[in-house]
Amino acid sequence: MLAVCCLIFIAGCATSPTGRSQFLLFSTDQLDTMGTQAFSAMKTDLTISTQAVENAYVQCVANALIPHVPKSAFDGQWEVVVFADEQINAFALPGGKIGVYTGLLKVAETDDQLAAVIGHEIGHVIAQHSNERMSQSQLIDMGNQALNAVLAANEVPQNNMIMSAIGLGVQVGVQLPFSRAHESESDTIGLILMAQAGFDPRESVTLWENMAAVSGDKPVELLSTHPSEATRINNLQNNMPSALVDFNNTTSRPQCG
């Protein structure tokens, strides 16, 4: 069992675009298939916007970003869909799928700000965060099953209580910080992506100031899957100098608004 686990770990080792070590168990083809299936289901379950202006606007921003996405993330035709929903959200899935909710367009007030969000979401795909989270979950499940078997075999008292405590510890100590690391990494990747495409990276800070203004009560950052707006802004500002170099080095200035 130990030998198998070691082989799995060695096979799954990878490095993210920002140099962070990753553990990946799934192939790109597997993730692309899953992303395509999930997107098809969403297009069936959700209302797709029929507003020509909204669709053209979002498509324009996405089209400016896509040429700067590494082919290793997806080498094909991206699909962009606007969903008529008041959620302030967007997403990108493996397999070249991008979804934007119309509610986001009320908070992302300019094409630069919308590019910051879409760039962030594409960043998740570039960094293979879905693969990493699924791989982590599978590894944790394997570990929990093995530990539970050991506790049961040795007739350890309060087995269920111990397993519950371990589960909470894993969530707070591993999974939530891991999710926050993904969000911060995607912010960084998205910042560079939007700058390379000719969108003003400084608008990413304004975007998160807008987000903070509309956010209601949220869990403390320690227990949240996302960093606080203040943490995100600080991270963006730390990476702003290199983003501005990319922005100033391109003559492209998309006009989508």
Side-chain angles (χ1 to χ4, degrees):
M1 177 66 180
L2 179 59
V4 171
C5 288
C6 287
L7 286 173
I8 291 173
F9 182 78
I10 293 169
C13 285
T15 304
S16 79
T18 63
R20 185 176 52 80
S21 295
Q22 293 180 294
F23 178 66
L24 308 175
L25 290 177
F26 301 91
S27 71
T28 300
D29 287 344
Q30 285 176 302
L31 268 293
D32 285 354
T33 298
M34 291 178 200
T36 299
Q37 290 173 344
F39 200 63
S40 294
M42 294 185 77
K43 288 192 293 182
T44 299
D45 295 340
L46 300 177
T47 302
I48 296 176
S49 171
T50 57
Q51 298 298 315
V53 173
E54 286 179 346
N55 280 277
Y57 173 54
V58 173
Q59 188 73 58
C60 176
V61 173
N63 285 347
L65 293 167
I66 287 168
H68 302 276
V69 178
K71 296 298 183 185
S72 57
F74 181 69
D75 187 11
Q77 183 68 40
W78 286 74
E79 182 180 6
V80 182
V81 173
V82 180
F83 294 102
D85 191 295
E86 288 304 303
Q87 284 190 62
I88 303 171
N89 208 352
F91 63 88
L93 298 175
K97 309 299 180 184
I98 296 172
V100 174
Y101 296 99
T102 52
L104 175 65
L105 304 181
K106 299 175 182 178
V107 180
E109 298 173 342
T110 66
D111 51 359
D112 297 291
Q113 292 176 26
L114 180 59
V117 179
I118 296 178
H120 165 92
E121 298 303 333
I122 293 174
H124 283 303
V125 176
I126 293 173
Q128 300 194 73
H129 289 159
S130 340
N131 192 340
E132 197 171 0
R133 290 177 186 179
M134 289 170 56
S135 301
Q136 182 203 39
S137 260
Q138 186 159 318
L139 194 63
I140 287 172
D141 287 344
M142 289 171 58
N144 283 341
Q145 289 172 16
L147 180 59
N148 191 39
V150 169
L151 292 173
N154 288 277
E155 299 181 350
V156 175
Q158 299 179 314
N159 183 1
N160 291 337
M161 185 181 298
I162 292 172
M163 289 303 297
S164 295
I166 289 172
L168 179 61
V170 167
Q171 181 186 26
V172 176
V174 179
Q175 292 173 314
L176 292 182
F178 206 21
S179 294
R180 292 196 294 272
H182 286 172
E183 292 300 317
S184 295
E185 187 168 56
S186 285
D187 281 344
T188 301
I189 296 170
L191 185 71
I192 300 302
L193 191 63
M194 69 180 291
Q196 290 174 341
F199 293 104
D200 189 344
R202 290 165 293 197
E203 283 292 296
S204 63
V205 173
T206 306
L207 167 74
W208 286 108
E209 289 172 346
N210 293 350
M211 288 287 193
V214 299
S215 296
D217 293 334
K218 296 170 65 177
V220 294
E221 186 172 354
L222 175 65
L223 300 176
S224 173
T225 59
H226 288 59
S228 69
E229 283 83 2
T231 298
R232 300 188 95 137
I233 289 171
N234 184 60
N235 176 53
L236 289 167
Q237 288 173 331
N238 287 339
N239 288 282
M240 195 63 66
S242 60
L244 285 172
V245 169
D246 287 332
F247 177 64
N248 291 325
N249 282 340
T250 181
T251 57
S252 174
R253 294 291 183 268
Q255 299 296 320
C256 299

